[in-house]
Amino acid sequence: MFSLPPLPYAYNALEPYIDEVTMKFHHDKHHATYVEKLNSTLIGQDELLNKPIEKILGNLHKVPENILQAVKNFGGGHANHAFFWKIMSGQHNQEPQGQLISAINQTFGSLIKFQEIFSQKATTLFGSGWVWLVKSPSPPTGVEGQVKLDIVGTVNQDTPLSDGKIPLLAIDVWEHAYYLKYQNRRVEYIKAWWNVVNWKEVEARFM
Ligand code: MN
């Protein structure tokens, strides 16, 4: 059975950028519901119940057709939120460093340019979904390859894990992520969210 991971910080740790009430509802209600519905979807599926959710989502062809959409919705909802809590931090205004910032500069030109493209994608993603910074899997040993970073959008609770990509960073642009504080002002939410990005965690995933 899957369980709801605790928030790695206090509900108010992301204030004033993301408010305490939003975090309580988002974690305790929305994320919890994805976990409950994932567990009820997988009743009797012992093999799947014993795998990490990331493995299931990375191998959707192994999921029976009759529960495939439910696994994408609720399994994705669980994995995406568990990831989202970790790539934010109460230690505000961090900056990317080391090989991560080198790769960002190499791919996008600069951190500012990267943030512009990512924010634009998050602003214009229609409906509910996520925008991600992803890394393509390492090339086979012995093959020289440049690390490939990319920005991708997914709808609903779909995840780049299902396309074989490695998520480094993501923003939730479902209205439930920002409506209580920002109402329909998604642009303001995105701008504020950059202040709580846990760049140390992003860098660890990149490495
Ligand atoms: Mn959400």
Side-chain angles (χ1 to χ4, degrees):
M1 299 284 276
F2 292 94
S3 56
L4 179 67
L7 261 194
Y9 35 74
Y11 293 108
N12 65 358
L14 308 182
E15 294 263 11
Y17 307 109
I18 299 179
D19 60 291
E20 179 172 1
V21 179
T22 295
M23 290 303 288
K24 275 189 176 152
F25 273 93
H26 203 173
H27 178 270
D28 295 5
K29 305 292 183 194
H30 291 281
H31 189 174
T33 302
Y34 290 123
V35 173
E36 281 165 27
K37 290 190 172 175
L38 175 62
N39 283 330
S40 45
T41 296
L42 294 180
I43 288 172
Q45 303 282 345
D46 293 349
E47 203 186 322
L48 293 176
L49 277 168
N50 285 317
K51 285 184 179 165
I53 190 60
E54 293 81 6
K55 276 265 182 306
I56 297 175
L57 295 166
N59 294 281
L60 285 175
H61 60 279
K62 291 184 180 166
V63 175
E65 183 67 31
N66 63 320
I67 58 166
L68 179 59
Q69 193 59 49
V71 167
K72 284 171 75 174
N73 293 347
F74 308 133
H78 172 39
N80 293 348
H81 287 88
F83 176 81
F84 189 52
W85 312 136
K86 288 187 200 149
I87 58 83
M88 298 189 290
S89 167
Q91 197 190 327
H92 303 160
N93 298 303
Q94 297 179 27
E95 285 182 8
Q97 294 176 349
Q99 292 188 42
L100 173 62
I101 188 62
S102 301
I104 288 173
N105 288 339
Q106 197 176 32
T107 308
F108 303 103
S110 68
L111 177 62
I112 299 286
K113 194 71 200 159
F114 159 67
Q115 289 178 311
E116 273 176 23
I117 300 167
F118 188 99
S119 296
Q120 180 65 20
K121 189 128 189 156
T123 301
T124 54
L125 188 114
F126 184 75
S128 297
W130 296 73
V131 171
W132 310 77
L133 174 66
V134 297
K135 180 183 170 183
S136 294
S138 305
T141 314
V143 177
E144 283 300 315
Q146 193 183 341
V147 170
K148 190 172 177 324
L149 295 180
D150 202 3
I151 297 169
V152 297
T154 58
V155 296
N156 300 319
Q157 295 296 354
D158 290 358
T159 161
L161 287 168
S162 303
D163 299 319
K165 307 257 171 71
I166 302 161
L168 303 179
L169 176 67
I171 185 167
D172 184 348
V173 293
W174 283 58
E175 281 189 344
H176 69 224
Y178 61 89
Y179 202 85
L180 291 177
K181 182 174 171 74
Y182 296 98
Q183 292 80 49
N184 63 329
R185 303 187 304 279
R186 190 191 280 189
V187 171
E188 281 181 41
Y189 156 68
I190 296 165
K191 193 168 173 228
W193 172 81
W194 286 111
N195 294 285
V196 298
V197 169
N198 186 353
W199 284 111
K200 284 196 197 83
E201 177 70 21
V202 178
E203 190 177 345
R205 288 169 187 271
F206 174 74
M207 297 310 287

